[in-house]
Amino acid sequence: MGVGKLDLETIAATLTGWGQVRLQGDACIRGKSPRATCQRCQEACPVKGIDLGSGGPVVKDCQRCGLCTAACPTGALEDPERTHSFFLARGRESIAVTGQALFTCSQGGEDHRRDGWIMTSCLGAVTPEVVLALAVRGQVGFRYLPEKCAGCPWGEKGEQLFLSSFAWARQALEAMGLPGNRLFRGEYRKPAPNKSGAAGRTGGSQITAAMGRREFFRSLVRGIKIPGVKITPAAPSLQSGPARSRALILQQALEEARPAGGYPAKARLPLASLKIAAPCYLCNICSRLCPAGALELAQGELRFYPSRCNHCDLCLAVCPHHSLVWGEDLPLEFITVGATCTLAVATEHQCASCGETFQASAAAVECLRCTLNRHLPGGPAGRAGA
């Protein structure tokens, strides 16, 4: 078939992907250990289009609602046209010009893109970290109409995810000392007109709108000229790997809004910190498998970096001693300054069962061998439960 016979819309679609989310298998925690039980993507998918096998999820039916990409803690699932960095860039550019970023879903049968709205497949696809990062700079609104969610095939799960993200972002704003009215929902508020020379973080210059590749190519083939539009790549600092992209967005938002003297000690983010609840033998399993590098074993210490953690729960699942649990909410300053928390320090003990010396955290009374033998079939605990 000659090139001249190809439909231009088909060429545009081919250039911009296959129309579904993409899986980065090496980022999925289910492929890192058989103990991993994460199924957030499957739980979020409204069309039951994700199978969870031993090696990770398989996308078999995708309608591009984006909910799985928002639910995945490690970034293993991603819509190449609507990444977290894309929504962040669009929102920041809108705020710089108009003082607000307004989101609306594309399921209402209306196209508000030319009116300044930021279009999403579903409001639940916008992550709470992106919402918070935008609210640091200006007002963020969502055209949330419960009656439309009720009639949408993605409505129940999309609405649940959106309301959860919205509540988290508002709670985080209050902890940061910023006004909660920077976030609003439900109102059909018309976006403020773009004003040339509007004051913003660019020193008054006009801001161009970032476009996804699909929007860009479709505008080309239709002969539409959109003034001031260009493809804007994501900030380099947000491209440090899918497992840490959302954590980096959060950290940068907290840094941007940080008061001159730092956040108060009592100011806490609605994110739990790790703590040790049982003897730790510093076996290095959790730190070796952590996809975000939030755990490190060095110089006889198990260290936790809250600013890197994506709360995927893998460390809790793989710990053979069930030593790690989620604790209190994290202080804002811990994430902002990249603080390090020492979870366990190796000290020398004498085993109460076999008398051998061993190294573990302060609470240990038995060596690792005796502890494991006691819980194996045929061991004391196994015989007692027989």
Side-chain angles (χ1 to χ4, degrees):
M1 179 182 295
V3 175
K5 296 182 180 181
L6 287 176
D7 178 66
L8 291 178
E9 290 284 335
T10 304
I11 296 175
T14 303
L15 289 172
T16 55
W18 294 102
Q20 69 174 33
V21 298
R22 295 176 182 174
L23 170 66
Q24 302 183 55
D26 57 344
C28 179
I29 63 175
R30 291 185 68 92
K32 295 183 180 297
S33 170
R35 288 178 175 265
T37 58
C38 179
Q39 51 187 16
R40 298 183 202 181
C41 59
Q42 188 181 64
E43 292 172 348
C45 181
V47 296
K48 299 181 180 179
I50 297 178
D51 275 342
L52 294 177
S54 58
V58 176
V59 181
K60 59 177 185 178
D61 181 16
C62 180
Q63 297 185 12
R64 294 191 76 186
C65 64
L67 299 182
C68 63
T69 68
C72 179
T74 65
L77 290 162
E78 180 181 76
D79 186 328
E81 310 304 327
R82 305 183 185 102
T83 64
H84 309 316
S85 297
F86 171 75
F87 284 132
L88 184 63
R90 288 293 298 269
R92 282 178 172 173
E93 290 165 358
S94 179
I95 288 173
V97 173
T98 68
Q100 59 185 5
L102 301 182
F103 291 85
T104 183
C105 76
S106 58
Q107 295 302 305
E110 302 168 333
D111 190 347
H112 302 284
R113 191 177 294 111
R114 296 183 189 177
D115 295 330
W117 291 88
I118 301 172
M119 303 291 293
T120 72
S121 296
C122 178
L123 296 182
V126 186
T127 63
E129 295 88 352
V130 169
V131 176
L132 181 63
L134 293 176
V136 163
R137 297 194 176 188
Q139 285 194 312
V140 183
F142 294 87
R143 185 176 180 244
Y144 165 60
L145 303 174
E147 62 274 16
K148 288 205 170 184
C149 288
C152 173
W154 309 334
E156 182 180 356
K157 293 189 175 182
E159 183 179 27
Q160 181 181 4
L161 194 55
F162 163 67
L163 292 176
S164 175
S165 296
F166 188 92
W168 185 95
R170 175 163 284 179
Q171 186 177 349
L173 273 179
E174 294 174 355
M176 296 164 67
L178 297 176
N181 62 6
R182 292 196 179 191
L183 287 178
F184 59 90
R185 70 187 190 203
E187 302 177 32
Y188 190 90
R189 182 178 300 188
K190 188 175 181 180
N194 291 353
K195 297 179 181 179
S196 179
R201 294 185 176 271
T202 59
S205 60
Q206 188 172 359
I207 306 299
T208 55
M211 295 185 73
R213 290 174 296 167
R214 184 176 298 276
E215 288 179 275
F216 178 74
F217 280 116
R218 290 193 183 278
S219 69
L220 285 181
V221 299
R222 290 173 183 168
I224 298 175
K225 294 183 179 180
I226 305 178
V229 172
K230 68 177 183 180
I231 298 179
T232 303
S237 58
L238 301 181
Q239 297 176 338
S240 301
R244 290 189 58 191
S245 63
R246 290 170 63 172
L248 284 169
I249 291 173
L250 174 61
Q251 184 178 16
Q252 290 176 1
L254 295 178
E255 290 174 353
E256 187 173 344
R258 185 174 183 260
Y263 289 107
K266 294 182 179 180
R268 292 180 176 268
L269 199 68
L271 279 177
S273 177
L274 280 176
K275 70 175 186 178
I276 296 292
C280 174
Y281 293 90
L282 296 93
C283 63
N284 199 31
I285 292 177
C286 61
S287 52
R288 182 165 51 88
L289 293 179
C290 177
L295 289 166
E296 178 185 60
L297 182 62
Q299 300 175 343
E301 295 181 353
L302 180 61
R303 301 166 183 166
F304 172 53
Y305 298 86
S307 61
R308 303 177 186 176
C309 181
N310 56 31
H311 291 76
C312 67
D313 294 341
L314 181 60
C315 56
L316 277 66
V318 301
C319 178
H321 328 297
H322 305 290
S323 304
L324 291 169
V325 296
W326 294 117
E328 297 180 347
D329 286 349
L330 286 164
L332 288 173
E333 197 71 359
F334 276 25
I335 297 180
T336 308
V337 302
T340 305
C341 304
T342 300
L343 299 180
V345 179
T347 56
E348 192 169 285
H349 303 268
Q350 185 175 16
C351 181
S353 298
C354 68
E356 294 286 340
T357 58
F358 67 97
Q359 288 194 335
S361 62
V365 295
E366 284 186 321
C367 68
L368 179 59
R369 181 179 60 186
C370 291
T371 300
L372 293 177
N373 286 339
R374 189 158 49 86
H375 291 89
L376 287 174
R383 290 195 298 269

